[in-house]
Amino acid sequence: MSFSSEVKTELCREPVNDPELALAEAYGILLFCNQYTADGLRIVTESAAFAERIPPLFQKAFGVAFDRSPEAQNGGRLIFEIVQREKLTRLLDACGYDARMLISMHLNFGLLETGKARLAFLRGAFLAGGSVTDPEKRYHLELSTSHAAVSREILSVLEECGFRGKTALRNGNYLIYFKQGSEIARLLAALGALEAGERVNTAREQKVSVNKANRRSNCDLANVDKTVAAAQEQLAAIRQLEDAKGLDILPEKLREAALLRRDNPELSLTQLGELCDPPVTKSSFRYRLKKLMELVPDSTNH
C-alpha cells in the first residue's frame, strides 16, 4: 500500500456523526471528484476505506443513495454514480447551486464558516482528488480539481486554516500543491491523519541528521586532505634542508621537530608534540615547523 493510500485509510477513521461536518466533507468530495455537474456525479477511487466511507457520508449529508455503487473491484477502480435528476438536484440545492444557471463551479463559502467545517471540506477534497508522496523519497502533496475557480478560491480556505499552497496546471486539471515537509506534516495532522503527519516529521528529522552527518564528514575529509597536503609540504622542505646542509646544523628544537616529522609522516601535530622531550602543545610544534619552512627558499609558511 502506498503512503498516499495509508493516509486516506487513516483519514477515513474520522467518525461520520455531525451533519454539518458530513456536508462540508461531502462538498469537498464533490468539487474534487471525477465528475460533478447538473448531468451526473461520478466518483472513482482505488481506496477501499474511502469507498466504504462514501455511502454513509452522502446519506448523512444529503439523504441520498448512489445509483451505482461498486459491488466488486474492477482493476482496482471503485466507481460511484448518481444520474437521477431528483438526487442531483438535491445535491446541487444542498451546496447552494442552481442547475439552471450552472456554468462553472465556485466555492460556496457559506458551507465553510467554521474551522471544523473548513478542515472537513479539505479532508473530502484530499480523499477525492489528493495524493501525497512517501516522505522518505520526497515531499509533495497535491489536490487536483477540474474547476478553475474552485482551485483559486480554495487557497483562501487553506490560508484561513494556516496553510499556504501553490497552484499549477497539469493536463487540464488545476493543482494546489505543497513541497515543504513541515507544512505537509501539519496539514495531514490537521485533516485527521496524525500518524501520517508524524511519519513525515520523522522522515524530516532523519534527513536533517543525515545531512548534518554528511556535512560533518565532508568537512572532516577536507580537513584530512588539508592536513595531508601540509604534511607532504613539510616533509619536502625537511628533505631539501637535509640534502642541502644536513639537519645537524639546525637548532636543537628545530632539529627535533624535523626528525619527528620525517620519521612519523602519518602523525598529527598534536601527536608529534607529545613525542617531544619535553612534550609541547600543537601550536608550539606548528611554530617549529613554520620556522623550518622559513629556512627553505620559496617555501610556503605554515
Side-chain angles (χ1 to χ4, degrees):
M1 182 183 293
S2 69
F3 180 69
S4 193
S5 297
E6 292 176 5
V7 171
K8 292 185 178 183
T9 298
E10 185 178 358
L11 290 176
C12 287
R13 297 174 192 161
E14 288 287 315
V16 182
N17 297 325
D18 188 309
E20 178 186 352
L21 299 185
L23 176 58
E25 182 175 331
Y27 184 40
I29 293 172
L30 291 175
L31 294 183
F32 282 80
C33 68
N34 301 77
Q35 178 191 353
Y36 174 45
T37 67
D39 297 321
L41 168 66
R42 180 180 174 88
I43 304 171
V44 181
T45 181
E46 294 184 1
S47 170
F50 182 38
E52 291 180 6
R53 184 176 182 81
I54 293 173
L57 183 69
F58 272 63
Q59 188 65 45
K60 175 70 72 172
F62 307 113
V64 300
F66 286 89
D67 297 332
R68 174 186 176 185
S69 296
E71 297 180 358
Q73 280 190 264
N74 179 19
R77 301 171 77 239
L78 301 163
I79 302 173
F80 296 84
E81 289 183 341
I82 294 178
V83 294
Q84 291 185 28
R85 184 66 57 184
E86 179 183 347
K87 293 181 181 179
L88 291 170
T89 300
R90 184 180 301 183
L91 264 61
L92 291 168
D93 289 344
C95 296
Y97 299 129
D98 186 341
R100 294 169 300 178
M101 301 175 62
L102 188 61
I103 299 175
S104 63
M105 291 289 184
H106 284 269
L107 204 57
N108 182 357
F109 290 94
L111 299 180
L112 312 175
E113 293 182 347
T114 68
K116 289 184 178 180
R118 287 190 285 270
L119 290 175
F121 169 80
L122 293 173
R123 179 169 59 249
F126 181 82
L127 287 170
S131 63
V132 59
T133 304
D134 186 339
E136 295 184 2
K137 298 177 181 177
R138 64 190 181 99
Y139 303 126
H140 184 86
L141 182 149
E142 69 179 38
L143 302 170
S144 175
T145 179
S146 59
H147 306 294
V150 169
S151 179
R152 293 192 306 269
E153 294 161 356
I154 198 176
L155 291 176
S156 63
V157 176
L158 285 162
E159 288 184 4
E160 289 177 357
C161 295
F163 304 98
R164 286 188 172 275
K166 296 182 179 180
T167 60
L169 180 64
R170 183 202 299 150
N171 298 327
N173 287 322
Y174 301 89
L175 306 182
I176 302 162
Y177 66 92
F178 299 86
K179 284 190 172 295
Q180 290 189 345
S182 58
E183 190 88 336
I184 292 172
R186 287 198 309 111
L187 179 55
L188 291 177
L191 298 184
L194 295 175
E195 295 175 10
E198 186 59 33
R199 279 187 58 183
V200 175
N201 278 329
T202 299
R204 287 180 60 244
E205 292 170 0
Q206 290 175 344
K207 288 180 181 180
V208 169
S209 297
V210 169
N211 289 338
K212 285 183 177 178
N214 287 339
R215 286 195 296 269
R216 190 180 302 115
S217 177
N218 291 337
C219 182
D220 291 342
L221 289 174
N223 288 336
V224 168
D225 291 342
K226 184 178 179 180
T227 299
V228 169
Q232 292 299 319
E233 194 169 357
Q234 293 158 6
L235 287 170
I238 292 169
R239 293 193 191 98
Q240 189 173 345
L241 287 172
E242 189 172 18
D243 292 342
K245 302 178 181 179
L247 301 180
D248 291 339
I249 66 170
L250 295 173
E252 181 180 352
K253 293 181 179 180
L254 295 187
R255 182 171 66 253
E256 181 184 41
L259 292 172
L260 286 173
R261 170 48 87 197
R262 185 195 67 182
D263 298 337
N264 303 280
E266 77 286 356
L267 297 185
S268 66
L269 296 183
T270 299
Q271 292 170 319
L272 291 172
E274 291 172 351
L275 294 178
C276 290
D277 185 19
V280 298
T281 64
K282 175 182 177 180
S283 59
S284 294
F285 197 85
R286 180 186 288 112
Y287 178 76
R288 294 183 183 183
L289 290 175
K290 178 181 178 182
K291 300 305 290 184
L292 277 172
M293 299 290 287
E294 290 174 352
L295 298 176
V296 180
D298 301 324
S299 67
T300 303
N301 293 341
H302 287 268

